[in-house]
Amino acid sequence: MTDDAAGEAPPEGPRRRARRERAERRAAEARARAIEEARREAKRRARGLSPEAKPVPRGAIRGLKLVVATVLAVLVAVGLGLILYFTPVMSARDVAVSGAEVVTREEVLDAAQVQVGTPLLQIDTDQVANRVATIRRVASARVQRDYPSTLQITIVERIPLVVRDFADGPHLFDRDGVDFATAPPPPSLPYLDVENPGPSDPATQAALQVLTALSPDVADRVGKIAAPSVASITLTLTDGRVVIWGTTDRTAEKAQKLAAVLSQPGQTYDVSSPDLPTVR
């Protein structure tokens, strides 16, 4: 074998050539990626971003926008509330009163103590209602803001159920036993004969319970109801007939039996035992 033949490289086969070409392609791709990364890094440095900076996710951006919108809405609501509370934009320019028949509008306004021009939000409606309810003839009061500029006061007046005479004149009592007026009684109002009339008096409550249980036709004929005790209630009709009622037990049954036996002639009607009412 000659020297020239010994220095020549062995011929490259197809497999070796394929491996070499794959290695060259990988090297070229690596160089290209390195060049691209270097280019991106140069752009980030030019914009002042750190190499680790990443784009903000879209979900985070939407959440941030929602928080900002909520804060703005709260600020607007608070601002509007402050404007309505401290300025006369929605102030009480009118006070409307409803439900007053015997009680006058002036009495209600005097008790309410509402200064016209006060912002509606500054008015404590519960306190105004409590002041109006101190009027003797008022059973209850409700106060509402009627935007933009009206305060509505609605009252329920007490209705007289019985009357009792006192040194200063006749006093009217409602179904709860409240003495709410000193005035001439309406026609045919029954007279209440108890020792200490009032809402906390058991005899008063017993007598009123009987009256409210009667049918309207029978109640209109009662001239006096007496209750010296809760166990001995009697009714005197306007024509002079007497009804012995007894206790308040089985009051509804007694009222039914009385309505039935009053059609019978007699002077005394005893329904104290509703199972065996008597007429004599």
Side-chain angles (χ1 to χ4, degrees):
M1 182 179 293
T2 64
D3 293 340
D4 292 340
E8 290 180 358
E12 184 179 40
R15 292 182 178 180
R16 182 176 293 178
R17 184 167 50 252
R19 287 196 296 269
R20 177 176 56 77
E21 289 175 352
R22 285 196 298 270
E24 289 175 351
R25 283 197 300 270
R26 286 195 293 268
E29 290 174 357
R31 287 194 299 273
R33 286 195 297 269
I35 293 171
E36 180 62 22
E37 183 61 29
R39 185 178 64 81
R40 292 177 179 176
E41 178 65 20
K43 287 185 177 181
R44 284 196 293 267
R45 292 182 181 279
R47 292 198 298 265
L49 299 175
S50 64
E52 296 79 10
K54 296 181 179 179
V56 179
R58 292 184 178 180
I61 294 176
R62 287 195 296 268
L64 181 60
K65 288 181 178 179
L66 180 60
V67 170
V68 172
T70 302
V71 171
L72 290 176
V74 171
L75 291 176
V76 170
V78 171
L80 181 60
L82 291 174
I83 291 174
L84 296 179
Y85 189 85
F86 289 107
T87 67
V89 174
M90 288 189 178
S91 59
R93 298 185 182 90
D94 180 42
V95 180
V97 178
S98 61
E101 296 183 5
V102 180
V103 178
T104 65
R105 171 183 167 84
E106 288 68 27
E107 287 180 284
V108 174
L109 295 181
D110 288 345
Q113 300 176 20
V114 175
Q115 184 176 357
V116 175
T118 303
L120 288 174
L121 288 177
Q122 291 188 22
I123 298 174
D124 189 324
T125 55
D126 290 337
Q127 288 188 3
V128 175
N130 290 337
R131 289 196 292 267
V132 173
T134 61
I135 301 174
R136 288 179 66 189
R137 282 187 176 270
V138 173
S140 64
R142 183 180 61 179
V143 180
Q144 296 173 297
R145 302 180 186 91
D146 187 4
Y147 294 102
S149 59
T150 301
L151 191 70
Q152 177 68 50
I153 301 177
T154 304
I155 68 170
V156 176
E157 295 184 345
R158 297 188 185 277
I159 299 175
L161 185 64
V162 292
V163 60
R164 188 176 188 277
D165 290 331
F166 286 86
D168 59 345
H171 287 215
L172 305 181
F173 293 80
D174 68 359
R175 62 182 300 132
D176 296 320
V178 176
D179 178 358
F180 68 89
T182 303
S188 71
L189 195 68
Y191 183 83
L192 176 65
D193 187 4
V194 297
E195 185 175 356
N196 297 302
S200 60
D201 177 51
T204 300
Q205 291 300 316
L208 297 178
Q209 181 182 343
V210 171
L211 278 178
T212 54
L214 298 176
S215 65
D217 178 62
V218 175
D220 288 343
R221 287 186 274 176
V222 176
K224 183 177 74 170
I225 181 166
S229 72
V230 296
S232 55
I233 302 170
T234 60
L235 309 175
T236 302
L237 305 185
T238 54
D239 59 8
R241 291 183 292 175
V242 176
V243 176
I244 300 175
W245 192 275
T247 69
T248 56
D249 294 339
R250 304 171 66 182
T251 292
E253 295 178 56
K254 293 179 182 180
Q256 292 178 349
K257 293 298 175 69
L258 178 61
V261 300
L262 280 179
S263 60
Q264 301 178 21
Q267 184 62 31
T268 302
Y269 299 80
D270 190 341
V271 293
S272 58
S273 176
D275 294 328
L276 189 62
T278 61
V279 180
R280 60 179 187 273

